[in-house]
Amino acid sequence: MKLGSIRSNSPDGQLVVLSRDLKLAKVVSEIAPTLQNALDRWDDVEDKLQQVSADLNAGKAAGTITYDMKIGRAHV
């Protein structure tokens, strides 16, 4: 599972789960709004984030966005 963040109104950015190839991302604010929040609540969110990662890598995740690793930004 690869986690990252994209720019948002929050100083911490918005949490995303990234695909293995780092080309797609899925915003997971319904699970945790930021990476720090996910880390603080890891026992509660790990399984949900793992499932999103599995779905994303299997091509089953809806609402994905492209992610450009070179510039660290998502493109909607």
Side-chain angles (χ1 to χ4, degrees):
M1 172 174 50
K2 296 178 187 220
L3 302 176
S5 57
I6 58 174
R7 289 186 183 173
S8 72
N9 292 336
S10 166
D12 293 331
Q14 188 171 26
L15 180 64
V16 294
V17 175
L18 298 165
S19 61
R20 278 188 208 105
D21 63 6
L22 303 176
K23 292 182 180 179
L24 294 175
K26 168 94 173 142
V27 175
V28 290
S29 55
E30 70 282 358
I31 298 171
T34 65
L35 181 56
Q36 185 61 55
N37 179 274
L39 294 172
D40 291 344
R41 301 174 38 242
W42 190 251
D43 290 340
D44 297 328
V45 302
E46 179 184 13
D47 290 343
K48 293 174 186 173
L49 293 172
Q50 288 284 8
Q51 186 59 56
V52 171
S53 179
D55 290 346
L56 182 61
N57 289 305
K60 297 178 183 178
T64 60
I65 53 178
T66 58
Y67 187 80
D68 188 338
M69 188 62 187
K70 292 177 185 172
I71 60 173
R73 293 194 183 158
H75 304 281
V76 179

